[in-house]
Amino acid sequence: MSKNHVSILQEKEVDVYPSRIHAKPEILKRQDPVVHSEWTENASLTKEQSDFYDQKGYLFLEDFFNQEELNHYQKEARDLQITARESQSDRIIREPGGSEVRSVFAIHESNPIFNKLSQDPKLLGIIEYLLGSETYIHQSRINYKPGFTGKEFYWHSDFETWHVEDGMPRMRALSCSIALEDNFHYNGPLMVVPGSHKEYVSCVGKTPDNHFKDSLRKQEYGVPDHENLTRMVKEGGIDTPVGKAGSIVIFDCNIMHGSNSNITPMPRSNIFMVYNSVENQLVQPYSGQQPRPDYIANRDAKK
Ligand code: 6CS
Ligand code: FE
């Protein structure tokens, strides 16, 4: 570690989740709760749902959005995809080795309908319960996963990247994935390793500068080693929560997850909203490197 790196680290809180620093992967115990509220009868989840999320690290809710809401989001997503094809904006990420649109970032900022969706009261009720405070959007995007050519997302913990590259201090964030199309086991749905959110894989390899330019197409740093991934899957198995368009998956920031490519004709587009607790605001990235752009990691909790 360079001297500069050490002094930057000393200026802020101790790094309880170091990663991409050591030569060998290490397993660290989670230091934060998964459900940040006490359950009561008034909670926005049942006791069973809350316990399921706590133990498995995710929750699948079928028919969360109705057909009318869904029609709006689907139309908006299609329009955005058409505009994105012709656009040169940095917020648009293309498939690795191709020009199909893979993701469009910061949709809650650029689009009023998705902005409203991000503040949906029934969604926020659940999220504020799980995170135990008010929240703000750390990252939002649509992933298109087009038919025939949609490429995979390799296994990773989101938190590992958000900690190292964005300076998210603690595990008090989650993702909500909203299915815009029917998800099947065969069109590259989200795969999660239940229980993996309780341990942190400290990964190897120093982050290259401007890593996001490659990682959002194909992530190669901040990914778990084969040995630990094998063990985690042996212990927890792999779940693929799939269902109709309008269903949602809420998953903890540290759960190990990924998805396969999509060679079927059926696209699998979905909206991702990442919520972070207002009590967990970003500090300087723990890598000591430049923060990523605002459209990938929002540094202003008031936005
Ligand atoms: O970079 C991010 O913020 C998200 N994207 C990828 C490919 N990995 C980490 C995280 O989920
Ligand atoms: Fe992810």
Side-chain angles (χ1 to χ4, degrees):
M1 201 188 295
S2 71
K3 219 170 152 204
N4 188 26
H5 195 147
V6 173
S7 67
I8 290 169
L9 281 182
Q10 280 167 350
E11 276 169 25
K12 49 187 193 210
E13 313 157 50
V14 181
D15 183 357
V16 290
Y17 296 116
S19 186
R20 309 189 205 177
I21 288 173
H22 303 299
K24 284 207 183 120
E26 250 181 79
I27 293 294
L28 306 174
K29 211 169 157 289
R30 183 183 180 115
Q31 309 277 328
D32 299 295
V34 179
V35 177
H36 294 258
S37 301
E38 285 296 326
W39 186 85
T40 66
E41 304 256 306
N42 300 325
S44 48
L45 292 177
T46 65
K47 180 85 172 66
E48 289 66 37
Q49 288 172 320
S50 182
D51 289 348
F52 186 97
Y53 183 86
D54 192 12
Q55 285 153 24
K56 306 250 182 184
Y58 78 95
L59 195 62
F60 176 70
L61 301 172
E62 185 103 61
D63 288 326
F64 194 82
F65 290 106
N66 64 37
Q67 194 56 50
E68 196 188 328
E69 292 169 309
L70 203 54
N71 289 345
H72 265 100
Y73 306 147
Q74 287 169 329
K75 179 179 181 315
E76 215 55 33
R78 276 195 298 270
D79 290 353
L80 196 58
Q81 188 179 26
I82 293 165
T83 332
R85 283 190 185 126
E86 307 303 324
S87 167
Q88 300 299 314
S89 165
D90 285 348
R91 296 174 177 214
I92 295 155
I93 309 294
R94 316 237 163 219
E95 290 289 356
S99 59
E100 276 277 17
V101 177
R102 179 174 171 88
S103 312
V104 179
F105 275 82
I107 53 164
H108 75 291
E109 263 179 33
S110 59
N111 183 300
I113 291 186
F114 295 137
N115 182 278
K116 192 156 173 249
L117 166 60
S118 73
Q119 301 307 312
D120 182 281
K122 60 181 185 296
L123 192 55
L124 277 190
I126 297 175
I127 287 162
E128 288 178 1
Y129 164 73
L130 290 173
L131 298 181
S133 69
E134 287 188 14
T135 63
Y136 70 97
I137 298 278
H138 168 67
Q139 182 186 88
S140 73
R141 57 162 114 174
I142 298 189
N143 284 346
Y144 284 98
K145 189 71 79 93
F148 305 109
T149 56
K151 298 284 183 299
E152 75 276 7
F153 285 83
Y154 190 70
W155 294 105
H156 63 280
S157 144
D158 294 326
F159 177 77
E160 196 276 347
T161 295
W162 299 338
H163 184 71
V164 173
E165 298 192 25
D166 301 337
M168 182 181 285
R170 308 295 295 228
M171 295 181 187
R172 198 169 172 182
L174 55 76
S175 293
C176 176
S177 166
I178 300 158
L180 292 176
E181 315 276 348
D182 296 344
N183 276 234
F184 304 100
H185 289 289
Y186 47 72
N187 67 341
L190 181 72
M191 303 187 288
V192 296
V193 182
S196 59
H197 60 306
K198 301 237 168 148
E199 45 183 310
Y200 179 72
V201 184
S202 176
C203 305
V204 297
K206 186 183 172 311
T207 322
D209 285 338
N210 291 321
H211 178 226
F212 67 93
K213 295 202 167 157
D214 296 317
S215 69
L216 300 176
R217 306 180 94 187
K218 189 172 195 279
Q219 184 176 356
E220 286 173 302
Y221 292 84
V223 296
D225 56 291
H226 289 184
E227 212 177 294
N228 277 308
L229 185 63
T230 306
R231 178 186 52 77
M232 284 170 148
V233 170
K234 256 192 199 148
E235 286 168 13
I238 296 176
D239 283 359
T240 47
V242 292
K244 291 198 304 285
S247 60
I248 67 172
V249 188
I250 297 175
F251 57 101
D252 179 77
C253 59
N254 187 47
I255 196 168
M256 200 52 81
H257 64 285
S259 65
N260 283 318
S261 70
N262 181 18
I263 57 170
T264 74
M266 293 83 136
R268 185 215 153 238
S269 54
N270 63 341
I271 296 175
F272 268 99
M273 301 280 180
V274 178
Y275 295 85
N276 187 25
S277 165
V278 291
E279 291 166 24
N280 192 34
Q281 287 184 35
L282 306 189
V283 297
Q284 284 307 299
Y286 289 86
S287 63
Q289 288 164 307
Q290 282 296 314
R292 299 194 295 177
D294 215 57
Y295 60 83
I296 299 175
N298 174 19
R299 308 193 72 78
D300 179 1
K302 284 178 213 72
K303 268 205 312 195

